[in-house]
Amino acid sequence: MKEHNKYYKPKKGNPRYRLSDEEAKIIHEYRRIKKEAQAEGLNPNDVHSGWIKSKKASLYFKNSQFRQNEKDKFFNEMLKTFSEHAPNYEKIDYTEKLNNHLLVIDPADIHIGKIASKMETGQSYDSQEAVLRVLTGVKSILSKVQGFPLNKICLVLGNDILHYDTPNKTTKGTQVDSDGLMWYEAFLMAKRLYVEVIEKLLNVAPIHCVYCPSNHDLQSGFFLAQLIETHFKNCQDISFDVSPAYRKYVGYESNLLGFSHGDKGSKDLPLLMASECSHLWGKCNRRYFYTHHIHSKYSKDYLDVCTVESLRSPSPADSWHHSNGFINQPAIEGFIHHPTGGQIARITHFF
């Protein structure tokens, strides 16, 4: 019987999957080169691919994490750059105009990079239209809430702010139509949009930003939220909750507000709120969970303990959604919460 090679001891199973001596040497050589590279301070993850050859065999290796490593490197460098050059914001004196209402403003499912053709779906939509609708909707909501004195604004970030995570693909790899915008162009456009919205809201009341991870841009959306927090690190009138936690909670007097994208755990949201935010559950008797994802209005009371409400999106149906009959009424929504009375007003700007 032929002796097993010293590099590889085959396991029991199909002989066709066992390595020959030459193949085993190639793999051993690959491992040796990897160790030597690490010893010299080189990161093997920075290598896209390569060949290791001998007279009788060759091994082509490809680093499946290379693209993601490059993407992480890009965002880390961007965060560092913006951290070093974050603008200074003077603290605003709100004393004369603050009073006892919370404004929740939630531009949900913006999908920058999405494309819809009026010829096919009845409405046009692209990145420029997405930005315009958000700015128009926020301005409209602020004008409609002037009768409510505010002492806090809760701005919801994330929720598919970007249409794709990698070029024309969502986080899970689903191919989507786009308006031709490169992924980094869409990212920077979303960054500028959030900065403009926040600066506008700062003139009204202090802001608390909460970030909801989502299915179209799980990675890019997180990086974007981190970048926005970095941009405003020198502003004392704004706070952030931009962790990767899928559900976020905000307490305001007798109000307990939950926020989630809505594609996960949507059937158990009241129970999740009671479990994950038990320290506020008993103190607050006005409980609401705001969800997104479906682009349409849905509201349900779970007994008298919690109301779950989904939000409309400013983006209309694209080709796939329209052909499958998933047609929505585009809008941006805001909500007024009284300290003890709960949600007392819903403000909507339709497109």
Side-chain angles (χ1 to χ4, degrees):
M1 180 181 292
K2 186 177 179 180
E3 184 179 355
H4 296 323
N5 67 66
K6 63 180 179 180
Y7 303 116
Y8 177 78
K9 185 177 181 180
K11 297 179 180 179
K12 294 181 180 180
N14 194 329
R16 63 187 289 189
Y17 295 113
R18 297 176 185 173
L19 297 179
S20 66
D21 289 351
E22 196 66 29
E23 290 170 333
K25 290 178 182 179
I26 288 290
I27 292 178
H28 183 268
E29 182 70 5
Y30 167 73
R31 292 172 178 169
R32 181 186 67 79
I33 293 174
K34 182 178 179 180
K35 290 181 179 179
E36 290 180 358
Q38 292 173 327
E40 294 296 325
L42 299 177
N43 186 357
N45 290 331
D46 291 337
V47 179
H48 177 271
S49 58
W51 284 97
I52 299 177
K53 297 184 178 182
S54 69
K55 293 182 179 180
K56 297 183 179 180
S58 64
L59 171 69
Y60 172 71
F61 64 89
K62 184 176 181 180
N63 183 4
S64 61
Q65 296 297 316
F66 179 79
R67 183 179 295 275
Q68 183 56 45
N69 292 333
E70 288 295 298
K71 187 176 180 181
D72 291 344
K73 183 179 179 181
F74 167 81
F75 284 117
N76 289 334
E77 290 178 355
M78 180 176 288
L79 283 172
K80 181 180 178 181
T81 299
F82 279 99
S83 178
E84 293 172 351
H85 300 283
N88 291 313
Y89 290 87
E90 293 185 4
K91 185 169 179 57
I92 300 175
D93 183 9
Y94 297 104
T95 306
E96 295 182 359
K97 54 184 177 180
L98 289 186
N99 211 313
N100 58 351
H101 290 88
L102 167 72
L103 169 63
V104 176
I105 191 161
D106 195 341
D109 294 282
I110 302 169
H111 288 274
I112 292 178
K114 178 179 177 177
I115 184 70
S117 170
K118 187 174 183 179
M119 179 183 297
E120 180 182 9
T121 66
Q123 295 191 59
S124 298
Y125 195 77
D126 58 17
S127 298
Q128 295 292 340
E129 180 65 18
V131 170
L132 179 61
R133 288 192 177 193
V134 173
L135 294 176
T136 300
V138 170
K139 181 179 179 181
S140 173
I141 289 174
L142 289 179
S143 68
K144 294 173 181 176
V145 300
Q146 290 184 13
F148 298 94
L150 306 174
N151 63 5
K152 195 75 174 179
I153 295 176
C154 180
L155 174 65
V156 186
L157 308 177
N159 292 309
D160 290 341
I161 171 68
L162 297 165
H163 193 44
Y164 36 81
D165 221 3
T166 57
N168 293 350
K169 291 183 179 180
T170 65
T171 304
K172 291 184 177 181
T174 302
Q175 190 80 26
V176 292
D177 294 330
S178 76
D179 63 356
L181 207 63
M182 299 298 291
W183 63 268
Y184 48 83
E185 293 176 316
F187 182 90
L188 293 175
M189 181 178 286
K191 183 259 181 183
R192 290 191 293 270
L193 172 62
Y194 274 154
V195 170
E196 186 170 350
V197 168
I198 290 173
E199 290 180 341
K200 186 183 297 291
L201 296 179
L202 278 172
N203 293 320
V204 179
I207 306 171
H208 179 60
C209 291
V210 294
Y211 159 66
C212 290
S214 41
N215 60 312
H216 271 249
D217 59 351
L218 184 62
Q219 298 174 106
S220 298
F222 173 74
F223 290 131
L224 177 60
Q226 295 291 319
L227 181 59
I228 296 302
E229 181 183 28
T230 300
H231 180 91
F232 287 98
K233 72 172 189 175
N234 297 325
C235 181
Q236 300 180 52
D237 298 308
I238 185 170
S239 58
F240 287 89
D241 182 357
V242 291
S243 75
Y246 219 77
R247 290 170 295 279
K248 302 294 195 303
Y249 300 98
V250 174
Y252 178 74
E253 302 292 340
S254 297
N255 297 260
L256 174 54
L257 310 180
F259 301 91
S260 176
H261 187 55
D263 60 316
K264 297 179 180 180
S266 58
K267 295 182 180 179
D268 300 314
L269 290 176
L271 288 175
L272 287 168
M273 174 183 278
S275 174
E276 295 174 335
C277 202
S278 57
H279 63 291
L280 290 178
W281 178 273
K283 297 178 181 179
C284 303
N285 61 352
R286 305 293 184 183
R287 309 181 191 100
Y288 302 84
F289 226 120
Y290 292 115
T291 68
H292 314 81
H293 185 56
I294 63 174
H295 298 201
S296 298
K297 176 56 61 181
Y298 171 85
S299 183
K300 180 179 179 181
D301 290 329
Y302 286 79
L303 301 178
D304 62 345
V305 298
C306 183
T307 298
V308 177
E309 181 168 354
S310 65
L311 276 75
R312 297 182 175 96
S313 163
S315 66
D318 58 11
S319 177
W320 186 89
H321 288 87
H322 187 271
S323 62
N324 283 278
F326 301 127
I327 302 173
N328 62 299
Q329 194 171 20
I332 287 181
E333 296 180 281
F335 307 89
I336 294 291
H337 284 261
H338 185 272
T340 59
Q343 185 199 97
I344 60 172
R346 181 187 294 119
I347 304 93
T348 307
H349 180 86
F350 289 102
F351 299 98

